[in-house]
Structures are given as C-alpha cells and as structure tokens.
Amino acid sequence: MNVKYATHSLEDRLAPLFDMYGGVPPREIMHRHPYFAELLREADTQGGYESVTSSFEFDEVSIPVPSVIQLLKAGQISLDNAKGIPKILMDCAGSGKTLTALLALPLFEEHYAKGKKVVATYVSPGNLVPTMMQELRRFMPGYKGIPITQQSREKDIMEATKEDINFVFLGYELSYRNSHLYDDHVDGKKLGEILIGLSDGARDYVEHLAEEGLFSAKDGYKALDRHNMIDLGGWIYKQYQKRCMTNVIDALIDNVLTQDVFSYLIIGEGHNLVHMDSLTRTALEKLKQRADALLIETATAVRNNVHQMGTMMTLVDFVDSPHSWKRIIKKDPRRAKAALDLHAVTPIVTKIQQVDPLVPKHKEEEREYEAHPDVVTLY
C-alpha cells in the first residue's frame, strides 16, 4: 500500500513558481528546467497549460521576501528542534526552502542557544553552495558565512573559527575528504628520526611503532617484506601523516563546532542520500551526532516518492535502515504517516494568502486562518 503524503495539486505546485515569476511564465520558460517541464507536461494532460493557468488571478503588487509563511515555518523548525524533534522541510521546488532554513538561525540565537554562539553548517551538493551564499547575502546581511572549498579547505576551516562567522557551507563532495590541517606536526625532522630508527634495526623499530599504534603489526611486516630501507622510511613517514590528518567533518567539529557553540545542521537536497553506507551519509552522521538542531530539505515527499525517504528517516532516528522504512510503509502506513506528521515542517496555515494578503489569491477562496500559538509568540 502506497502512502501519499503532502500531495499537492497541480495548482498548488505551480503557484509558488508563478509567485516567484510574478505572473504566468510562457511555455519556453517552463521548458528550461526539468521540474517546470514536468509540471508543463502534467498541465497538458489536464486540459492544457493555458487552460489550467487561466484559473490563476494575479494582483499587481510585490510579494515580500521572506514571506510570512517562511517566517512561520522557520519558527516551527526552531520550536520543534528545541523539543528534540528534528525536522524535514518538504516543499515544492521554487518555494523558498533555502531562505526558510536560514531564517531559523536567528530564532535559535534568540530563544534556545542559551547565550552560545549559533553556527549553522549547511551541507548540500557542491553546485548549490553559491546559491546558498547568495541567499544569505541578499536576505540576511547581518550574518556572515564562508564556503569550505577544495583548494583551500584547511584555511577555510580556520577562517570559520572567527567570531563573526555564523554559517559554514559545505558541498557533499568535500564532507568526507581529508584535511591536512594538522600536517605541520610531521616535518623533515621526523623523517630523519625514522631513518635513524631503521638503521638501528628495521624489524625491531617497525614492531615498536606497531605497539605504539601507528599501524598494525600485520601492515608493518608487509611493509618490511615489500620495501627497501629508504622506501620503508617513506612508508612510515606517510603513516605519521595519516595519523595527523583528519577529514573535513572531524576538523569542523574539533575547531568550529566546539562544545561552546550551538550547532544547527542543515542538509540540503536530502533525497540525494540514498545509500546508508555511502561516504557522504557516513560523514553526515558525525555532524548529526554533534548537532543541537537538524533540518533536512527535500522535495521528494511532495512529488510522492515517499519510498525514497528511507535514508532521511534514519537521520531523524525514526528507523535504523532504509529497508525498515519501506517495510513500515508497506505493513503499517499509518505509522509511516504519523512519523511524517511529526518530522515534517507543515505549512501551519492551509493557504499562504490567509496570512500574507500581498500574495495573489485564487478565485473564490475563503478560508479561516489558525496559527500555532507557540510559533506566533516567537515573533
């Protein structure tokens, strides 16, 4: 039995795109993006794009950004995380998920961090990092962020330790890479010590280093058999370097996300996390264990691919494996829906127009608005 959760009508999925565009975009615009093109094809099966969009009515006014709905969602993210409930933001493409995620940081700062500095680590596919940085600069100029880049990741990590840095942006591709942050502990003198030690008796020296835990005895004996004296010295030197190296995630935790910091972890495009044993998923688990608050962004559930949310549901600690999630969907769909109700960032309002009169209204729409009182008090 399939669970269809947070299913949006075609109109609901088109509305935020039209709001962003300021009107009904022509077909040629819709063809430029795979998701927009999918909506266009769906519209053509329901009477045609022009017919479907003719039901929309737009006022000649500006739409404020951030909108009230984004602020309310940010409030729910902070409020529920304060209760120990990690959240999943499941909205359509183009609905402003990035800004919603960023807006939660000031709320953590004001209400829940207990005087600690708040640092948000925003992990997403690398090609999206510039977009995240742009959103921060445009809408939150009072805050400063830094991207961790491949070319200068050691320098970037140390830059992120500065007091005025609140956001650290990291691409999936760098989350499991090594950082040479501590390599200055191993220099030319160390190589000299190694060669002297080997000259006094290679086997005894290798066994001594194995006892100290630099490498396993098995690896040490293999190296003795494979290398001459000089090459063996180089191999031992590399083992010292490996011990002094750390991956980017560990370096961030050790230097930036220290215990005197409130750590807010944002995982963008969570539907890309498919395999539990992937390097990215393993690296993110370390960040999650350190995080005081967690938000995962995805459009998957909106597009009815709930079965693909298994890895995300492991990150919010609902299941221990994606297979368990699929099994629950099949055997106990009510439990699956209850989990999504708990962890999803819901709109709080049934229609955005109820709290934001500047957003174009649908024809003949009259609804009551009820905001969650705990969220409203945050503002």
Side-chain angles (χ1 to χ4, degrees):
M1 179 178 180
N2 289 336
V3 177
K4 291 190 175 181
Y5 180 78
T7 303
H8 288 239
S9 67
L10 178 60
E11 287 79 4
D12 288 338
R13 294 164 72 190
L14 286 169
L17 308 181
F18 293 178
D19 292 344
M20 181 175 59
Y21 188 77
V24 178
R27 281 178 171 271
E28 52 268 26
I29 294 293
M30 298 293 287
H31 278 300
R32 294 179 185 176
H33 189 283
Y35 179 60
F36 300 171
E38 178 186 311
L39 296 181
L40 181 61
R41 289 192 296 272
E42 186 172 337
D44 285 338
T45 67
Q46 299 186 26
Y49 179 68
E50 290 74 18
S51 174
V52 170
T53 56
S54 65
S55 63
F56 287 91
E57 191 174 83
F58 293 89
D59 299 330
E60 293 182 1
V61 291
S62 298
I63 300 169
V65 177
S67 67
V68 174
I69 196 71
Q70 287 175 307
L71 292 169
L72 288 173
K73 287 185 177 183
Q76 191 186 14
I77 292 166
S78 61
L79 180 69
D80 281 358
N81 266 287
K83 298 176 181 177
I85 305 171
K87 304 302 288 183
I88 302 176
L89 183 57
M90 302 183 292
D91 285 350
C92 298
S95 58
K97 292 190 294 294
T98 297
L99 183 54
T100 299
L102 298 178
L103 288 168
L105 184 139
L107 296 174
F108 285 124
E109 205 169 47
E110 184 175 349
H111 297 282
Y112 307 115
K114 299 179 180 179
K116 291 183 177 181
K117 174 187 174 183
V118 181
V119 176
T121 308
Y122 206 139
V123 189
S124 67
N127 63 309
L128 297 181
V129 168
T131 302
M132 313 304 181
M133 292 287 294
Q134 184 180 19
E135 292 281 281
L136 179 64
R137 286 193 293 265
R138 284 179 64 196
F139 300 112
M140 300 176 68
Y143 292 87
K144 190 175 179 181
I146 183 169
I148 306 300
T149 60
Q150 181 170 346
Q151 293 78 12
S152 58
R153 49 188 182 269
E154 293 81 18
K155 178 182 176 182
D156 295 335
I157 290 170
M158 297 314 297
E159 186 75 15
T161 64
K162 292 184 177 179
E163 188 62 30
D164 61 343
I165 299 295
N166 292 101
F167 288 91
V168 176
F169 298 93
L170 177 67
Y172 282 169
E173 302 82 358
L174 281 177
S175 61
Y176 51 83
R177 293 293 180 88
N178 282 332
S179 165
H180 297 261
L181 200 61
Y182 309 130
D183 270 3
D184 55 346
H185 295 188
V186 182
D187 52 23
K189 292 182 180 179
K190 176 60 69 176
L191 183 57
E193 292 176 9
I194 293 170
L195 293 176
I196 292 173
L198 288 173
S199 64
D200 291 338
R203 180 170 291 274
D204 290 343
Y205 186 61
V206 168
E207 290 176 347
H208 168 70
L209 294 178
E211 289 176 2
E212 287 191 339
L214 181 62
F215 43 76
S216 69
K218 181 179 179 180
D219 289 341
Y221 289 133
K222 282 184 179 179
L224 275 169
D225 293 338
R226 292 176 180 175
H227 301 301
N228 59 37
M229 186 72 71
I230 299 299
D231 290 341
L232 181 59
W235 180 84
I236 294 173
Y237 182 79
K238 286 182 180 179
Q239 306 315 302
Y240 273 108
Q241 282 188 316
K242 286 181 179 179
R243 187 168 73 173
C244 291
M245 281 199 309
T246 182
N247 63 40
V248 168
I249 295 298
D250 287 335
L252 281 173
I253 292 173
D254 291 344
N255 294 276
V256 181
L257 306 176
T258 52
Q259 291 303 314
D260 58 344
V261 161
F262 184 96
S263 172
Y264 171 34
L265 173 60
I266 308 168
I267 300 175
E269 305 296 315
H271 46 274
N272 288 337
L273 302 173
V274 178
H275 302 293
M276 275 292 289
D277 56 352
S278 69
L279 293 174
T280 298
R281 172 63 180 82
T282 302
L284 289 177
E285 180 65 27
K286 291 184 181 180
L287 275 181
K288 188 201 81 171
Q289 293 299 329
R290 171 59 191 92
D292 298 293
L294 170 64
L295 174 68
I296 304 172
E297 297 177 1
T298 180
T300 295
V302 174
R303 298 174 68 179
N304 301 319
N305 297 320
V306 178
H307 291 81
Q308 296 179 9
M309 293 185 66
T311 302
M312 284 183 272
M313 298 308 289
T314 66
L315 284 166
V316 299
D317 293 326
F318 178 69
V319 291
D320 57 6
S321 73
H323 296 295
S324 297
W325 172 245
K326 291 180 180 179
R327 187 164 55 249
I328 290 172
I329 290 175
K330 183 178 181 180
K331 295 185 176 181
D332 193 354
R334 289 186 179 181
R335 184 184 171 202
K337 186 178 184 301
L340 291 171
D341 284 336
L342 176 66
H343 293 288
V345 180
T346 58
I348 304 177
V349 294
T350 55
K351 293 291 180 182
I352 185 174
Q353 292 83 2
Q354 296 159 6
V355 292
D356 192 344
L358 296 182
V359 173
K361 295 181 178 180
H362 294 179
K363 291 181 179 179
E364 300 177 1
E365 180 178 65
E366 292 292 337
R367 299 283 182 95
E368 293 289 328
Y369 161 62
E370 293 182 5
H372 193 295
D374 291 339
V375 174
V376 173
T377 57
L378 292 175
Y379 298 98

